Amino acid sequence: MQDTLRITEVFYSLQGETRTAGLPTVFVRLTGCPLRCQYCDSAYAFSGGTVRTLDSILEQVADFRPRYVCVTGGEPLAQPNAIPLLKQLCDAGYEVSIETSGALDISAVDTRVSRVLDLKTPGSKESHRNLYENIGLLTANDQVKFVICSREDYDWAVSKLIEYGLERRAGEVLFSPSHHDLKASDLADWIVADNLPVRLQMQLHKYLWNDEPGR
Ligand SMILES: C[S@@+](CC[C@H](N)C(=O)[O-])C[C@H]1O[C@@H](n2cnc3c(N)ncnc32)[C@H](O)[C@@H]1O
Ligand SMILES: Nc1nc2[nH]cc(C(=O)O)c2c(=O)[nH]1
Ligand code: SF4
Ligand SMILES: [Mg+2]
């Protein structure tokens, strides 16, 4: 029996988020998630999908001849075979990132992978799932993200930024407005007013293509 993963979609688009925003990227979206963030824009990946071998996924990625590959979901780390997939993507020479909820242990992820750790805010309704041990594992190759729903979430994110010195642990600290919950310009104004060492992140793909799956 070959190693398999349940996959919702593989597509080529512009990275809409993180430090590689705007760069052509292949996305591998794994099916299933143990969380239920109230704002989740990828709920179509909670179920369904297709069981595929790692080899078939790697072949489809290679057909796009990408430089960047992003493994997302759903929650990619909920499937144990995400770990060998990430390693094999690195071995194939791609610049690999993973988007993860921070609710699962990231220690087995290949250190060549940029781990984009989303610390879940109270407004997500899943902040009780945060595994704070993950923060001690972060390096300059990793990124921490807060998806912010309100001024209360912003104040909470600032308190975590200070408590853990996140800008010294990770290469990027990203503050992203929760789409439909918070105006990006409000978040921008707060970041400037507080002179924070963080990067405002917009979800570029939503401005380009609204909220279509597979873009
Ligand atoms: C769909 S999740 C998949 C990966 C993983 N489960 C996670 O939460 O990081 C990818 C990223 O999209 C963010 N996201 C989902 N819905 C969003 C929304 N409505 N506005 C802004 N970001 C959102 C998540 O918080 C996460 O950082
Ligand atoms: N273009 C594009 N960029 C993205 N970056 C992260 C995504 C995600 O859903 O995890 C995503 C997505 O769905 N589309
Ligand atoms: S952890 Fe990620 S995929 Fe799961 S519900 Fe939250 S945003 Fe959606
Ligand atoms: Mg998305």
Side-chain angles (χ1 to χ4, degrees):
M1 177 65 182
Q2 275 189 291
D3 286 343
T4 59
L5 280 168
R6 185 171 284 276
I7 298 286
T8 294
E9 56 188 356
V10 178
F11 62 97
Y12 200 31
S13 186
L14 293 189
Q15 174 58 269
E17 308 183 22
T18 71
R19 68 165 181 235
T20 55
L23 296 173
T25 300
V26 172
F27 293 87
V28 180
R29 191 180 304 282
L30 276 58
T31 308
C33 182
L35 280 68
R36 290 291 180 269
C37 303
Q38 60 81 12
Y39 50 64
C40 184
D41 60 13
S42 302
Y44 63 94
F46 288 167
S47 60
T50 307
V51 176
R52 296 181 52 179
T53 63
L54 297 199
D55 285 349
S56 93
I57 298 162
L58 289 161
E59 276 169 28
Q60 190 181 355
V61 169
D63 285 343
F64 293 109
R65 302 183 153 274
R67 174 165 176 197
Y68 297 96
V69 180
C70 176
V71 175
T72 183
E75 174 46 57
L77 294 180
Q79 295 189 58
N81 280 335
I83 299 297
L85 174 71
L86 290 161
K87 178 183 183 300
Q88 288 172 40
L89 288 167
C90 292
D91 291 345
Y94 309 119
E95 292 193 34
V96 182
S97 60
I98 181 173
E99 304 225 330
T100 180
S101 61
L104 289 122
D105 179 11
I106 63 168
S107 62
V109 175
D110 194 298
T111 52
R112 291 171 290 178
V113 174
S114 180
R115 298 170 296 192
V116 183
L117 188 80
D118 185 343
L119 275 189
K120 295 297 176 186
T121 57
S124 73
K125 309 282 187 211
E126 289 286 23
S127 60
H128 58 286
R129 306 292 298 263
N130 286 328
L131 209 61
Y132 289 97
E133 291 79 9
N134 279 331
I135 292 176
L137 303 171
L138 294 174
T139 73
N141 191 31
D142 299 319
Q143 309 176 56
V144 180
K145 187 203 288 194
F146 294 90
V147 174
I148 295 171
C149 303
S150 64
R151 177 70 203 200
E152 289 69 39
D153 269 3
Y154 173 82
D155 292 337
W156 183 89
V158 173
S159 74
K160 296 297 172 201
L161 179 74
I162 293 167
E163 179 181 352
Y164 291 101
L166 291 175
E167 79 277 17
R168 293 186 296 279
R169 291 180 186 267
E172 295 278 351
V173 180
L174 307 161
F175 275 25
S176 179
S178 171
H179 204 70
H180 302 308
D181 285 320
L182 181 64
K183 271 170 60 189
S185 58
D186 285 344
L187 180 54
D189 288 341
W190 301 338
I191 291 170
V192 173
D194 289 340
N195 196 20
L196 293 186
V198 307
R199 188 185 293 274
L200 175 71
Q201 171 191 278
M202 317 273 281
Q203 291 183 294
L204 186 59
H205 50 296
K206 295 192 182 168
Y207 295 85
L208 294 171
W209 303 297
N210 199 12
D211 220 345
E212 288 171 44
R215 299 303 295 267

